[in-house]
Amino acid sequence: MKLRIGIVATAIVLCILLRKPCLIAVVLAAVLIIILAADIIEKRKIKKQTDELISYITRVQDYSSLPEMQKISEGNMGILQSEIYKVITILLEQYSSEHNQKKYMSDMMSDISHQFKTPLTAISLMNELLMNETVSDEQRMEYAGKIDAQINKMTWLLKSLLTLSQLEAGVLEMKPEKAELNKLINELSEPFLIMAEVAEVEYIVSIPEEIVIMADVHWFKEALSNIIKNCIEHTNAGGYVKISASQNNLHTTIIIEDNGKGIDKEHLPHIFERFYKAGNSSHDSVGIGLAMARQIIRVHDGKIEAESEVGKGTKFTISLY
């Protein structure tokens, strides 16, 4: 539009200056040709930009991620391109979120089904044995005890899965409060002192009394307990499990380490995944303790990292910011 106005204004000025009908006719003809040519170029440009936008929208349907868009920086077409890109980005994010949620639920149901299959099979078999009239009262009590143990295991597993899913969904409410770390560690250590003594593992706690953290005491104890239990279970007689801590203006660091069996490099990146069991996991392990510990620590605005070497031990480092 600005170009046309400029051409017409120039033509008028030339007509006034020339004052000759033949020259004026030539100028007007030239102006008409230029305007027509400009219109054709403009229409082709708009058609090209429109085709590019249509092609882009078509490509979006075939890509799993957002493809690059050629930049149009001028006029209404540029605004239209920007708005189309925004809308497509929002729609893809919503689709991705919904897809991930469905996959999460599918994986969760698959995991629950897999974990419950073994105890349910055991309960079914022992129930058949209980119905056998030739079974003695002593054997009946033994089978009943085993059934009770399997039911307790399933109850614990279901409760743990519910807690983990609430943590991952961010709906489990935490109630942080000031807590003396040394006191917190000593309180949760009582059962582990017995566990370590039975396993002939030295249990060492070295926490400065002045360290204070903000944490939901119940859930933070749960996270640390899962890690400590894991370390004791994978440390041979004569070894040690050590808990230490330090604090500066940026963060509090808690280190839980052992000199036990260690973890293979191929397994180390996956130990915090739900239901993952490394090669040296115990038979009773379901692979949920470390996953829960990581989620609890994340909710406390912290992170946990693991270092390990087979035959030399494992070191868990927790950082609370």
Side-chain angles (χ1 to χ4, degrees), residues 14-204:
L14 287 173
C15 289
I16 293 171
L17 292 175
L18 293 172
R19 296 182 181 180
K20 292 183 179 181
C22 61
L23 292 177
I24 291 172
V26 171
V27 169
L28 292 175
V31 168
L32 182 61
I33 292 169
I34 292 171
I35 290 175
L36 288 172
D39 281 342
I40 292 170
I41 293 170
E42 184 68 20
K43 286 179 180 178
R44 286 182 177 177
K45 182 179 178 182
I46 291 173
K47 185 178 183 303
K48 181 184 177 184
Q49 292 174 340
T50 305
D51 289 343
E52 288 175 353
L53 289 176
I54 292 171
S55 174
Y56 178 77
I57 293 171
T58 303
R59 283 188 292 131
V60 167
Q61 301 175 51
D62 301 326
Y63 278 64
S64 58
S65 58
L66 197 62
E68 290 293 327
M69 176 185 277
Q70 185 175 351
K71 182 65 176 172
I72 302 172
S73 59
E74 297 177 356
N76 291 332
M77 290 300 294
I79 296 171
L80 178 61
Q81 181 205 40
S82 177
E83 293 305 313
I84 287 174
Y85 190 83
K86 287 178 185 177
V87 170
I88 289 174
T89 302
I90 292 169
L91 289 174
L92 282 178
E93 286 177 352
Q94 290 176 345
Y95 169 78
S96 177
S97 176
E98 186 177 345
H99 176 74
N100 290 338
Q101 189 174 12
K102 286 181 178 179
K103 185 178 184 303
Y104 171 78
M105 291 303 297
S106 175
D107 291 345
M108 176 67 79
M109 294 305 296
S110 175
D111 288 336
I112 291 174
S113 174
H114 177 74
Q115 294 297 328
F116 275 37
K117 187 182 294 184
T118 301
L120 282 172
T121 302
I123 289 172
S124 177
L125 289 172
M126 284 183 282
N127 188 54
E128 288 180 10
L129 291 171
L130 281 174
M131 290 188 290
N132 190 334
E133 295 180 358
T134 62
V135 175
S136 66
D137 290 341
E138 185 179 346
Q139 287 176 317
R140 287 182 189 278
M141 290 300 296
E142 181 184 349
Y143 294 147
K146 289 180 178 180
I147 289 174
D148 186 60
Q150 292 297 329
I151 291 172
N152 289 336
K153 180 179 179 180
M154 290 171 64
T155 303
W156 172 85
L157 181 58
L158 191 59
K159 183 180 178 182
S160 298
L161 282 169
L162 179 61
T163 300
L164 185 57
S165 63
Q166 289 176 321
L167 285 166
E168 291 176 343
V171 297
L172 188 64
E173 184 182 358
M174 293 286 164
K175 298 177 180 178
E177 58 182 288
K178 283 187 177 181
E180 297 176 13
L181 185 60
N182 185 48
K183 181 180 178 182
L184 186 151
I185 297 290
N186 286 334
E187 287 175 355
L188 69 85
S189 291
E190 290 182 11
F192 294 120
L193 288 169
I194 299 171
M195 183 179 176
E197 185 177 354
V198 171
E200 299 181 19
V201 172
E202 186 179 6
Y203 189 83
I204 307 166

Side-chain angles (χ1 to χ4, degrees), residues 167 172-180 184 212-221 296-302 320-321:
L167 285 166
L172 188 64
E173 184 182 358
M174 293 286 164
K175 298 177 180 178
E177 58 182 288
K178 283 187 177 181
E180 297 176 13
L184 186 151
V212 175
I213 61 172
M214 286 294 296
D216 183 304
V217 174
H218 170 77
W219 287 111
F220 199 67
K221 282 182 178 179
I296 293 171
I297 290 165
R298 280 181 173 177
V299 174
H300 282 82
D301 295 324
L320 298 176
Y321 295 93

